[in-house]
Amino acid sequence: DAKTTQPNSMESNEEEPVHLPCNHSTISGTDYIHWYRQLPSQGPEYVIHGLTSNVNNRMASLAIAEDRKSSTLILHRATLRDAAVYYCIRREGNDMRFGAGTRLTVKP
Amino acid sequence: KAGVTQTPRYLIKTRGQQVTLSCSPISGHRSVSWYQQTPGQGLQFLFEYFSETQRNKGNFPGRFSGRQFSNSRSEMNVSTLELGDSALYLCASSLSGTSSYNEQFFGPGTRLTVL
């Protein structure tokens, strides 16, 4: 049970922003939201995580809804190297349950 | 700092055999988790080890087992291989075992093919 819901696929144009949504309506107060991505032929890699407030790092931004039932991963300017499967994970301790993720296609 | 390493990278076995996969975590990391990835089921959590103890287990049959050594290196074993065990097996390490915000670092995986 992944406990998160994401669209199966999304498309973006290169150098445009991308907003990847995630629903986690049954989240509890201590669960963190983590995002990982998996590029072709590689293991997943960490993107960003957050608990309540919005977070930014060099890769992306994470916007968490006030009720914490949903979040959005924002890639500010998509590049061809951002084409990957993006996983939103509701994390309880070290328990990481991956869902099917969103396959992001970036068009030149 | 070296990343997570997994050996071997590729493996071909036949049904009924058993296999052992190895994972060396990042230096200083004490938690190691294992995942199975298949096209049909996606990424599925197998188990997690911390300080040589299994702390968490996914929904897999007892043919799948693992262990962790005092240097944090981990092995997983699959006995009586079935065709459906063909998959990419991923290992991930993190600093500690209990924090919800610790980042997990994944290795490149071992591609197991069962014929």
Side-chain angles (χ1 to χ4, degrees), chain A residues 30-32 34 36 38 41-46 49 87 91-99, chain B residues 31 33 35 37 43 45 48 55-57 90 94 96-104 106-107:
Chain A
T30 56
D31 293 347
Y32 278 75
H34 285 243
Y36 281 71
Q38 188 171 21
S41 303
Q42 295 186 27
E45 65 173 351
Y46 168 83
H49 75 271
Y87 297 98
R91 186 161 171 186
E92 305 164 60
N94 218 36
D95 188 341
M96 294 247 295
R97 307 288 170 137
F98 287 78
Chain B
S31 171
S33 297
Y35 298 84
Q37 186 170 33
L43 262 162
F45 172 76
E48 180 236 339
R55 287 159 23 95
N56 211 350
K57 192 176 191 304
L90 291 156
S94 63
S96 73
T98 56
S99 174
S100 293
Y101 56 81
N102 278 341
E103 176 184 349
Q104 283 198 350
F106 284 79

Side-chain angles (χ1 to χ4, degrees), chain B residues 57-71:
Chain B
K57 192 176 191 304
N59 189 25
F60 277 81
R63 299 185 297 107
F64 292 81
S65 63
R67 59 178 176 168
Q68 186 180 33
F69 302 96
S70 58
N71 62 358

Side-chain angles (χ1 to χ4, degrees), chain B residues 33-80:
Chain B
S33 297
W34 288 90
Y35 298 84
Q36 181 197 65
Q37 186 170 33
T38 60
Q41 299 297 318
L43 262 162
Q44 293 186 286
F45 172 76
L46 279 156
F47 29 65
E48 180 236 339
Y49 286 86
F50 178 73
S51 292
E52 303 178 64
T53 302
Q54 186 182 91
R55 287 159 23 95
N56 211 350
K57 192 176 191 304
N59 189 25
F60 277 81
R63 299 185 297 107
F64 292 81
S65 63
R67 59 178 176 168
Q68 186 180 33
F69 302 96
S70 58
N71 62 358
S72 293
R73 191 177 69 83
S74 177
E75 290 181 347
M76 68 162 282
N77 185 79
V78 187
S79 61
T80 320

